[in-house]
C-alpha cells in the first residue's frame, strides 16, 4: 500500500512538473536564439537511479546515443575538459529519473551554457537556456532510450532553426 501511494504521489508531482511552463519545451521564441553559433558541446548524463539497473539501462548507453545524434546533426562533441574551453561552455545535460519499481520515468534534456546578466554584465555559469521533458509510465530500457533520442531531436530541430546547414 505504501509503495502504491508513493508511486501515485510521484506520478502526481511529475505530472505537475510536466505542465509547468518553466520546464516545457523551449523550442521556439527567445530561447531558441540562445542556441545560435553553438558549434560544439560536451554531454553530461546524470547518474542513473537504481531502477535503471532493473532494466539493464546504463549511463554509457545513453551518453553514446546522445553523442551520436549530435554528431550526425553536425554538432561537434567534445570531452568535458575540451568543452570547458568552448566559448560559453555549452553542454547538453540529460537526466533520467524513475521510481525504484520502474513504474514511471521522468526524462529531461537541456542545454546549459554560461550567460551574462543584462542589468550589470556579470557572468553566470551554467544557465539552462533550453530544455524539454517527458514523463513515461511503465517504461522499458528501449522506451527510455527512444524518449531520450526524441528529446535530443527536439533540441536539434531548435538548434537547426538558428544554425541552418550550409
Amino acid at each position: 500500500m505504501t509503495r502504491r501511494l508513493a508511486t501515485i504521489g510521484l506520478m502526481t508531482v511529475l505530472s505537475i512538473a510536466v505542465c509547468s511552463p518553466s520546464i516545457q519545451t523551449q523550442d521556439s521564441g527567445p530561447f531558441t536564439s540562445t542556441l545560435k553559433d553553438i558549434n560544439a558541446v560536451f554531454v553530461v548524463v546524470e547518474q542513473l537511479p537504481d531502477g535503471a539497473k532493473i532494466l539493464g539501462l546504463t549511463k554509457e548507453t545513453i551518453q553514446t546515443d546522445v553523442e551520436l545524434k549530435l554528431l550526425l546533426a553536425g554538432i561537434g562533441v567534445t570531452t568535458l575538459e575540451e568543452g570547458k574551453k568552448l566559448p560559453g561552455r555549452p553542454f547538453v545535460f540529460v537526466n533520467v529519473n524513475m521510481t525504484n519499481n520502474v513504474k514511471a520515468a521522468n526524462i529531461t534534456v537541456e542545454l546549459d551554457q554560461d550567460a551574462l546578466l543584462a542589468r550589470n554584465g556579470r557572468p553566470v555559469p551554467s544557465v539552462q537556456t533550453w530544455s524539454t521533458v517527458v514523463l513515461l509510465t511503465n517504461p522499458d530500457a528501449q522506451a527510455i532510450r527512444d524518449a531520450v533520442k526524441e528529446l535530443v531531436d527536439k533540441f536539434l530541430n531548435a538548434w537547426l532553426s538558428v544554425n541552418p546547414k550550409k
Side-chain angles (χ1 to χ4, degrees):
M1 181 71 163
T2 304
R3 285 186 190 160
R4 187 173 175 192
L5 287 175
T7 300
I8 291 170
L10 179 62
M11 296 287 287
T12 302
V13 169
L14 292 175
S15 295
I16 292 168
V18 168
C19 295
S20 170
S22 64
I23 30 182
Q24 284 187 342
T25 301
Q26 301 171 351
D27 57 2
S28 62
F31 299 108
T32 301
S33 64
T34 66
L35 305 177
K36 183 140 180 69
D37 298 327
I38 292 177
N39 300 316
V41 296
F42 60 100
V43 176
V44 175
V45 176
E46 184 74 22
Q47 190 65 40
L48 297 179
D50 291 338
K53 292 177 187 170
I54 295 170
L55 299 176
L57 189 64
T58 67
K59 179 179 171 179
E60 293 75 23
T61 301
I62 293 173
Q63 180 96 20
T64 300
D65 288 345
V66 172
E67 289 179 355
L68 182 59
K69 285 199 95 33
L70 295 171
L71 287 168
L72 290 173
I75 298 179
V77 175
T78 69
T79 64
L80 175 64
E81 295 77 29
E82 294 168 338
K84 289 182 178 182
K85 297 174 189 172
L86 294 171
R89 299 183 311 164
F91 65 96
V92 172
F93 177 75
V94 179
N95 180 280
V96 177
N97 203 355
M98 63 187 73
T99 57
N100 288 337
N101 60 3
V102 197
K103 294 292 183 186
N106 183 59
I107 304 166
T108 304
V109 172
E110 64 186 55
L111 186 283
D112 292 39
Q113 59 187 316
D114 295 346
L116 296 176
L117 293 176
R119 71 176 177 280
N120 61 15
R122 290 187 184 218
V124 181
S126 298
V127 175
Q128 175 192 23
T129 60
W130 187 94
S131 70
T132 188
V133 64
V134 69
L135 175 65
L136 302 176
T137 55
N138 298 313
D140 59 15
Q142 191 60 52
I144 291 172
R145 289 180 67 193
D146 290 344
V148 169
K149 291 175 191 177
E150 286 178 25
L151 296 181
V152 172
D153 281 341
K154 285 184 178 187
F155 166 72
L156 290 170
N157 288 336
W159 177 79
L160 283 167
S161 75
V162 294
N163 296 289
K165 289 189 177 184
K166 298 173 183 174

